[in-house]
Amino acid sequence: MPKYIGAIDQGTTSTRFILFNHSGDVVAVDQKEHQQIYPKPGWVEHDALEIWKNTQDVINGALSKSGINSSEIVAIGVTNQRETTLVWDKNTGKPIYNAIVWQDTRTDVIINKFAKNGGQDRFRKKTGLPLATYFSGPKIKWILENVKGAKEKAKKGELLFGNMDTWLIWNLTGEHITDVTNASRTMLMNLKTLDWDDEILKAMGIPKNMLPKIKSSSEVYGYVGAGSSRPNSGEETSPLQGIPVAGDLGDQQAALFGQTCFKTGEAKNTYGTGCFMLLNTGEKPVQSKAGLLTTLGYKIGNKKAVYALEGSIAITGALIQWLRDNLSLIQTSPEIEALAKSVEDNGGIFFVPAFSGLYAPYWKSDARGVIVGLTRYVNKGHIARASLEATAYQTREVLDAMEKDSGVKLRSLKVDGGMVFNELLMQFQSDILNVPVVRPKVAETTSLGAAYAAGLAVGFWKDTDELKKNWGRDKEWTPKMDSKRRQGLYSGWKKAVTRTFDWVE
């Protein structure tokens, strides 16, 4: 009987359940989008109960479509949108407020207060992170201060915090845990001790008892249905009953793992709602001087933790969704490529999508989006093309910072995520970086990374060398642009970025 590993991939816009075989091939998948809630400008929320229900639906859907029996599934891994923050009542299992999404900027007042006493890098030495609205800690603080009775309940130990990995694992197994990669995105974990930092918790007014236990990224955390007395378990028995949940990685670290970037100096870029480039820096954290994040790459069981440098870009794929949903410029996201190809170039315009401020390497939460260089000549094709190019330019900025920090010159870039099937974007990306861009055979590297972590924990795969053998090249793009044009376009982009600064008082 063949055996499989399952991965729950809980992303910003949808949740998926994917089954992989021993070769790392996708054998079954089901996916379901969830609602994006925008109560005020700059605020983004999710309904965590909807996400939990969708998770159950896609598990059932993938099993039903494939005809695979749950007895053939050896373990489950979880990967998730990071920083998205949820606080729920331990007794009822109900969230006390919607999940506050990573893109949300409502904590800017909290951030500014902290920055006045110690600057933007106040917690960076311990956490590897600048003060920014992006991270979970300030979001927890906002919930405790703005939801009636939350502070008192938290002090009594009645509330639990989690990113979406913790929420799903708690609902599946009854265990309140997270892994080092997700914990490293809260701004509450000490990079060296790999534990919650008491000094930062005190500064933020967050009780330690509401935080999950920090585990490695690859170990058995619990078994599906073992915590069936918890409030959200429902009366129905999960089809995954008794299967170990054994892998947990934030989505970008999961993609690093799925791309088998196990050597120091190996990097990947994921093109999703946002864009995230990670560079493996080995067993010691490298503090960034160029606006990058120092983060956990992964930790396998009792082995030493592996660190990474990360460049985060808030809006890439989300810009294409915005053109589709807000402007109705296209009907479906894949149409963007044909529209962009209808013109020869960007018509002299640059689109800087700083909808939620600018992330790496600027970290300016007061920036907002701009289109510059508009003339009567410009049409919707140029806007489409400039939207795709924005992703490539932002990636170049992150790569420049990464090379400056690490001293490592990137030879090629491994890519994954939904946008890597856009041929125009991938060629332009190679052109503007002046390095080859490589797409793997299995593009679902985020889910695959979670599956790999779970599989290693239960012996489905022997070691990382075995995982490395699974990786295969699907397509490679090489630079075709001359250096003068490359430099001219990039200079135009850098000039356009300055026009986004200081829009919010």
Side-chain angles (χ1 to χ4, degrees):
M1 185 190 288
K3 296 288 183 183
Y4 306 97
I5 296 282
I8 297 168
D9 182 349
Q10 203 299 293
T12 307
T13 57
S14 69
T15 305
R16 299 185 296 172
F17 185 64
I18 302 184
L19 289 169
F20 294 93
N21 63 18
H22 196 269
S23 302
D25 302 317
V26 174
V27 293
V29 60
D30 198 30
Q31 180 168 358
K32 202 167 182 182
E33 286 195 6
H34 55 263
Q35 187 188 1
Q36 305 296 313
I37 303 162
Y38 306 106
K40 292 182 184 180
W43 291 31
V44 191
E45 297 176 1
H46 290 158
D47 178 347
L49 289 172
E50 179 193 6
I51 286 173
W52 169 234
K53 185 185 180 301
N54 286 0
T55 304
Q56 295 168 293
D57 289 348
V58 294
I59 289 168
N60 286 320
L63 291 173
S64 169
K65 281 182 195 173
S66 64
I68 289 169
N69 194 297
S70 59
S71 62
E72 298 169 76
I73 301 171
V74 178
I76 301 295
V78 175
T79 182
N80 58 293
Q81 49 167 324
R82 305 166 307 169
E83 299 96 14
T84 294
T85 300
L86 186 68
V87 175
W88 67 95
D89 188 303
K90 186 161 50 173
N91 301 314
T92 67
K94 299 288 188 284
I96 64 166
Y97 191 81
N98 277 338
I100 301 179
V101 179
W102 56 275
Q103 300 155 315
D104 189 286
T105 59
R106 79 185 67 188
T107 56
D108 52 359
V109 175
I110 293 169
I111 294 299
N112 292 338
K113 275 185 187 171
F114 277 127
K116 277 177 187 168
N117 184 15
Q120 199 186 20
D121 290 338
R122 179 173 170 181
F123 303 128
R124 192 192 272 269
K125 201 170 180 185
K126 286 184 170 184
T127 66
L129 312 174
L131 282 168
T133 57
Y134 186 17
F135 307 109
S136 313
K139 291 177 166 66
I140 303 171
K141 182 176 172 65
W142 188 93
I143 291 171
L144 294 180
E145 289 177 352
N146 288 275
V147 175
K148 194 177 177 183
K151 209 175 265 188
E152 293 70 27
K153 276 189 161 189
K155 281 177 186 168
K156 289 181 195 168
E158 294 174 9
L159 298 182
L160 300 177
F161 152 75
N163 294 130
M164 298 315 290
D165 65 316
T166 300
W167 169 244
L168 294 181
I169 292 169
W170 186 80
N171 277 299
L172 287 164
T173 69
E175 298 294 329
H176 186 222
I177 68 103
T178 189
D179 90 304
V180 290
T181 68
N182 279 292
S184 74
R185 313 300 295 196
T186 60
M187 207 191 279
L188 305 174
M189 189 193 83
N190 188 303
L191 282 176
K192 289 182 179 165
T193 64
L194 305 183
D195 204 354
W196 304 118
D197 190 276
D198 291 328
E199 189 187 349
I200 299 174
L201 290 178
K202 191 179 175 186
M204 292 216 189
I206 296 170
K208 198 172 188 175
N209 61 15
M210 69 186 295
L211 305 179
K213 282 181 188 164
I214 301 174
K215 302 272 193 176
S216 80
S217 313
S218 176
E219 63 178 276
V220 175
Y221 311 117
Y223 296 84
V224 177
S228 56
S229 59
R230 72 208 175 286
N232 291 334
S233 61
E235 291 174 18
E236 289 179 33
T237 303
S238 167
L240 303 179
Q241 191 80 5
I243 295 171
V245 179
D248 181 16
L249 290 147
D251 52 10
Q252 302 316 318
Q253 288 92 337
L256 186 79
F257 208 75
Q259 286 274 35
T260 67
C261 295
F262 301 131
K263 287 182 184 167
T264 303
E266 292 189 317
K268 70 88 205 173
N269 198 23
T270 297
Y271 299 76
T273 305
C275 218
F276 303 88
M277 191 187 289
L278 268 76
L279 174 78
N280 181 327
T281 60
E283 292 173 358
K284 286 185 180 172
V286 173
Q287 286 291 347
S288 175
K289 294 182 177 71
L292 300 177
L293 308 179
T294 305
T295 195
L296 263 293
Y298 56 86
K299 186 178 188 302
I300 302 170
N302 295 324
K303 292 181 181 174
K304 283 187 175 180
V306 171
Y307 294 85
L309 277 172
E310 175 176 329
S312 314
I313 303 161
I315 303 287
T316 53
L319 176 56
I320 310 308
Q321 289 173 327
W322 182 80
L323 293 176
R324 181 193 71 190
D325 299 341
N326 291 42
L327 299 191
S328 302
L329 206 64
I330 48 175
Q331 295 303 306
T332 63
S333 294
E335 288 173 29
I336 193 76
E337 185 172 10
L339 185 56
K341 277 182 174 173
S342 69
V343 292
E344 285 183 10
D345 54 32
N346 63 18
I349 67 167
F350 293 89
F351 194 158
V352 187
F355 296 165
S356 304
L358 288 167
Y359 286 11
Y362 300 98
W363 297 106
K364 286 184 175 289
S365 58
D366 59 4
R368 287 297 178 267
V370 299
I371 301 176
V372 299
L374 285 168
T375 61
R376 288 285 298 270
Y377 169 71
V378 169
N379 62 36
K380 60 184 180 180
H382 297 115
I383 291 171
R385 196 168 186 115
S387 300
L388 288 178
E389 289 180 355
T391 294
Y393 291 128
Q394 290 178 101
T395 299
R396 163 79 186 267
E397 288 188 305
V398 168
L399 180 61
D400 286 354
M402 220 163 248
E403 290 182 344
K404 194 175 169 184
D405 272 337
S406 66
V408 176
K409 188 83 178 157
L410 197 72
R411 292 184 181 178
S412 68
L413 184 66
K414 288 182 176 179
V415 298
D416 56 73
M419 295 177 84
V420 300
F421 297 99
N422 188 309
E423 302 270 335
L424 183 69
L425 171 60
M426 290 297 102
Q427 182 58 55
F428 188 77
Q429 185 68 88
S430 177
D431 286 339
I432 217 72
L433 294 181
N434 198 28
V435 297
V437 167
V438 186
R439 183 174 72 199
K441 276 182 185 168
V442 179
E444 303 292 354
T445 51
T446 303
S447 308
L448 184 59
Y452 278 167
L456 283 176
V458 297
F460 187 71
W461 288 289
K462 192 173 65 174
D463 52 28
T464 54
D465 288 341
E466 194 176 359
L467 303 182
K468 215 58 168 159
K469 287 173 189 167
N470 275 353
W471 192 90
R473 182 187 311 257
D474 176 43
K475 185 157 184 181
E476 181 173 326
W477 293 265
T478 54
K480 292 177 181 172
M481 189 180 284
D482 68 72
S483 58
K484 190 178 176 185
R485 177 162 165 72
R486 178 183 303 114
Q487 195 47 48
L489 285 169
Y490 192 49
S491 295
W493 167 261
K494 295 294 264 186
K495 190 176 177 183
V497 171
T498 64
R499 305 299 196 263
T500 71
F501 297 168
D502 307 319
W503 273 99
V504 181
E505 291 297 326

